[in-house]
Amino acid sequence: MQQPSNPSRRALLALAGGALAAASTTFAQPAWPSRPVRIVVAFPPGGLADVMMRLLVPQLAEALGQPVVVDNRGGASGNVAAVETARNGGDGHTFMVNVTTLESVNPLMFERMPVNPARELQHVALLANTQLFLVTRPTLAPNTLAEFVAYAKANPGKLSYGSAGNGTTPHVGGELFKQTAGIFAAHIPYRGAAPAIQDVMAGQIDYALVPGTVFPSVKAGKLKLLAVASRRRPAYYSGAPTIEEAGFGKVYVDTPFAVYAPAAMPAAHVARMNRELNRLLVQPAIRARFAEVGGEPLALSPAEVSALVRDEIALFGPIVKARGIQAD
């Protein structure tokens, strides 16, 4: 019986060469990240998104092995940052922090969107969910929400309120509160929450719905905090009643800040960033620091962020249409 022939030396060399080529290709793939990582933040320095992101920067940079640079690009209700990320973020190292109203409100509010979030961006993670608080200038007479509504009705057309920009949750919430409370106040849009807060403290406007970054100012007597626009009182500031508890309707406008990447970002890079962010967001020290500014960190997958956005579209869409909210 003929014995099976042994592989020829030439065949063995060919097999070995193929294996070496495959191995060299694998090992030649550059590590990611290979350069500084840029985080485009859709609000000015000092705003809540900026504060929370900067709290993570030192540990995130250590985990990624590269510097993490915050690039503030406020304006147009998050559209400015979205355009920068989608059009100039093709280096594989650019991400963005933006409010999810970029997807739930902006397409209804802007006649022409400069960017299509569904096609040009993808979800990476959720930085945090935040609650909004109704604060007034300290020189305004009312000390409770009921007194405030009575004052507004007794002084029609005299009050003004600020927001972080047209179509942001402070604006949507402000219009919803006016509708449920039956009052009128002129809306003044700003390029982020921080400048709106400054003008409330300075008495340039009367009130605003703002994040928990105002807690120190409230404690110092620079602002009056009357209520929270959420389904529940905040655990970290339980003295604030909800607007619903005070008898003025279901004003639920929590603000999720999502982390996005350009649509072309490789899945492996998105997964790495999601993993590193979520590892930080569950740390007790980080959770405590976020709570100090009114943020609740949530470790979500990209798919879970997408589901949250779908729910928000169903919630905010009718409000935007009913109140005729339009871009400037």
Side-chain angles (χ1 to χ4, degrees):
M1 181 183 227
Q2 187 178 1
Q3 295 294 324
S5 60
N6 292 325
S8 68
R9 185 170 182 272
R10 181 178 295 177
L12 287 172
L13 288 172
L15 287 171
L20 285 171
S24 64
T25 300
T26 300
F27 289 119
Q29 291 178 351
W32 186 90
S34 58
R35 66 177 72 175
V37 172
R38 180 170 65 129
I39 310 289
V40 179
V41 174
F43 296 96
L48 181 57
D50 179 73
V51 169
M52 291 190 297
M53 190 62 239
R54 289 180 190 274
L55 285 173
L56 299 181
V57 162
Q59 291 187 58
L60 183 60
E62 183 179 357
L64 294 174
Q66 289 286 345
V68 175
V69 180
V70 173
D71 182 4
N72 297 94
R73 301 278 180 138
S77 302
N79 283 353
V80 170
V83 169
E84 173 63 24
T85 304
R87 307 289 160 76
N88 300 319
D91 60 356
H93 290 72
T94 297
F95 296 85
M96 174 180 69
V97 175
N98 211 326
V99 281
T100 51
T101 48
L102 172 72
E103 301 174 82
S104 63
V105 172
N106 287 16
L108 298 174
M109 183 176 69
F110 287 86
E111 186 174 345
R112 271 189 195 173
M113 281 285 285
V115 64
N116 186 323
R119 285 207 307 261
E120 298 181 67
L121 297 167
Q122 60 177 308
H123 299 128
V124 177
L126 192 74
L127 183 63
N129 182 62
T130 63
Q131 294 176 305
L132 294 178
F133 300 85
L134 195 154
V135 299
T136 72
R137 57 182 169 86
T139 54
L140 198 65
N143 292 311
T144 67
L145 194 62
E147 291 175 0
F148 175 82
V149 170
Y151 179 90
K153 289 182 176 179
N155 297 275
K158 291 187 178 180
L159 293 180
S160 60
Y161 83 97
S163 78
N166 280 336
T168 58
T169 44
H171 181 203
V172 174
E175 291 302 305
L176 181 57
F177 172 63
K178 285 162 56 177
Q179 178 177 287
T180 58
I183 63 172
F184 174 80
H187 171 236
I188 312 296
Y190 290 81
R191 291 171 65 88
I197 292 166
Q198 288 298 321
D199 272 8
V200 177
M201 289 194 291
Q204 298 299 312
I205 55 177
D206 298 298
Y207 73 101
L209 286 173
V210 296
T213 50
V214 298
F215 292 160
S217 297
V218 171
K219 291 176 182 177
K222 297 178 181 179
L223 291 167
K224 291 182 182 179
L225 195 160
L226 303 186
V228 59
S230 184
R231 288 177 173 82
R232 56 185 174 80
R233 294 189 182 202
Y236 42 83
Y237 208 94
S238 59
T242 68
I243 291 175
E244 184 179 18
E245 281 180 314
F248 299 104
K250 298 180 178 181
V251 183
Y252 308 147
V253 283
D254 286 9
T255 305
F257 288 95
V259 180
Y260 294 83
M265 177 79 73
H269 300 178
V270 170
R272 172 81 187 280
M273 181 61 84
N274 175 272
R275 183 168 65 253
E276 299 297 355
L277 284 170
N278 286 348
R279 183 180 60 81
L280 295 176
L281 292 174
V282 298
Q283 293 182 7
I286 294 293
R287 298 184 67 83
R289 293 292 302 278
F290 273 39
E292 290 173 3
V293 294
E296 181 186 9
L298 297 173
L300 301 184
S301 68
E304 288 170 326
V305 178
S306 298
L308 181 151
V309 170
R310 288 194 295 271
D311 289 344
E312 188 176 276
I313 290 171
L315 175 65
F316 287 167
I319 300 170
V320 174
K321 293 176 183 176
R323 302 298 290 181
I325 296 175
Q326 296 292 320
D328 292 331

